[in-house]
Amino acid sequence: AVQIAVSVLLILALIGAFIYLLWTINRQNKLALLRKSFVNNMTHELKTPVATVMAAVESIQRYGARDDRDKMEQYLRISHRELEHLANMIEKVLQLDIDEVTGVNLRMTEVDLAKLLEEGVEIAELGAKKEVSIDFVGRLPKLSLIADAGHLKNVINNLFDNAIKYSHDSVKIQVGLKEENGTVVLSIADNGLGIDPIYFKDIFEVFFRVPSGNLHPVKGFGLGLAYVKQVVKQHGGTIKVDSILGKGTVFILTIPTQ
Ligand code: ADP
């Protein structure tokens, strides 16, 4: 009987190991696919602005645009816009330089959350190429946290950026901030395209982008939310998403005050 029990256990262990192996291979395959689409994306995204700036500079050098003030200004404006776009992309990729073990490097100081949000709103409204209105639900409470100001600012910027990117022309964003039982609760709701609930977990994975065909050819690398989640987690907090397709999305962050 002991022998049978040992054999059964052994067989179970083998089956377990086999299933684990299959699961790992499946996960690796998925990751490899995501990585491939990231590299494709990235290559395309980097090539376009570089080629545009190159063409603008060449035109200035070659075709005497130097003597044509209007043309010169146009080329400089285009170059500036494209370089800004490049700098933005580089910033995104650098943000993801997360150590697998230690995560991002946090420098904790006292952070005034209302101020951070107000700055975030300003940046989002200023940089938007659409009509955007961002409102606070009620009055912003005075809340301070011991946190990393720089990373939290990036978190807020990423969420505003997405709310603006994945939306139609007139964007309305509602921001809520409150404290509940020693926890700061921040919500950012948009009236954009929405996310199918089947993707709620995936969107926080590195490189993942909701497959959307040509519905909304919005540029991105699938890095932002993975970074956001990492930073929130390192502050001891959580992030949740809720959404209705075609109506809008809300991200809810909680961070303990202690
Ligand atoms: P990126 O925006 O570069 O693709 P993110 O990690 O920030 O990467 O987002 C992952 C995916 O989640 C996006 O590709 C998009 O499909 C979806 N998403 C994120 N935020 C929103 C939002 N506010 N509304 C609709 N979809 C969103």
Side-chain angles (χ1 to χ4, degrees):
V2 173
Q3 248 175 6
I4 292 176
V6 170
S7 308
V8 168
L9 273 180
L10 214 65
I11 289 170
L12 281 180
L14 271 175
I15 292 174
F18 186 65
I19 289 174
Y20 179 70
L21 192 72
L22 280 184
W23 179 79
T24 312
I25 291 172
N26 186 28
R27 198 184 141 75
Q28 292 294 341
N29 281 345
K30 264 198 204 153
L31 211 64
L33 268 180
L34 288 176
R35 220 177 271 271
K36 200 170 157 59
S37 92
F38 167 73
V39 173
N40 281 342
N41 236 332
M42 186 78 177
T43 313
H44 177 75
E45 292 277 310
L46 291 178
K47 270 185 173 166
T48 314
V50 171
T52 311
V53 173
M54 192 90 92
V57 172
E58 272 173 13
S59 300
I60 293 172
Q61 283 177 323
R62 263 201 248 158
Y63 307 116
R66 264 170 296 193
D67 306 327
D68 183 338
R69 210 185 152 76
D70 285 350
K71 271 250 150 357
M72 179 85 162
E73 265 170 21
Q74 186 195 2
Y75 290 143
L76 285 178
R77 209 172 41 241
I78 293 172
S79 300
H80 185 258
R81 188 191 63 208
E82 294 301 303
L83 285 174
E84 205 170 60
H85 184 53
L86 257 183
N88 254 332
M89 284 192 288
I90 291 170
E91 185 59 36
K92 277 255 156 88
V93 175
L94 287 182
Q95 276 179 5
L96 211 86
D97 182 23
I98 299 172
D99 188 302
E100 288 210 358
V101 184
T102 55
V104 296
N105 203 355
L106 295 185
R107 261 182 297 138
M108 308 299 257
T109 56
E110 189 167 345
V111 178
D112 179 342
L113 272 181
K115 196 165 146 238
L116 208 68
L117 271 173
E118 275 161 356
E119 283 170 11
V121 168
E122 225 170 69
I123 295 170
E125 286 182 336
L126 211 69
K129 307 212 161 44
K130 302 177 180 175
E131 192 191 315
V132 176
S133 78
I134 306 179
D135 295 306
F136 293 107
V137 185
R139 248 201 312 145
L140 276 182
K142 253 211 113 25
L143 278 179
S144 56
L145 258 186
I146 301 298
D148 184 305
H151 283 300
L152 276 195
K153 198 171 171 170
N154 290 339
V155 162
I156 291 167
N157 289 349
N158 267 304
L159 293 174
F160 282 149
D161 249 24
N162 281 347
I164 296 169
K165 270 198 313 191
Y166 301 105
S167 65
H168 305 287
D169 275 345
S170 173
V171 190
K172 286 202 183 334
I173 301 174
Q174 295 242 310
V175 183
L177 179 68
K178 61 181 176 190
E179 190 184 347
E180 250 174 25
N181 313 320
T183 304
V184 168
V185 184
L186 166 67
S187 61
I188 296 184
D190 64 55
N191 64 338
L193 302 172
I195 303 170
D196 189 321
I198 60 167
Y199 298 120
F200 281 178
K201 257 175 82 180
D202 298 325
I203 54 170
F204 297 102
E205 295 283 330
V206 180
F207 304 140
F208 185 87
R209 307 196 72 218
V210 172
S212 55
N214 291 326
L215 261 181
H216 62 100
V218 179
K219 303 207 166 90
F221 302 119
L223 298 179
L225 287 178
Y227 167 79
V228 166
K229 184 169 185 180
Q230 177 69 27
V231 172
V232 171
K233 192 172 131 202
Q234 279 184 246
H235 281 83
T238 61
I239 180 162
K240 275 202 289 202
V241 60
D242 202 3
S243 180
I244 299 176
L245 260 184
K247 287 253 185 274
T249 305
V250 57
F251 285 93
I252 301 166
L253 273 66
T254 66
I255 299 181
T257 47
Q258 289 304 319

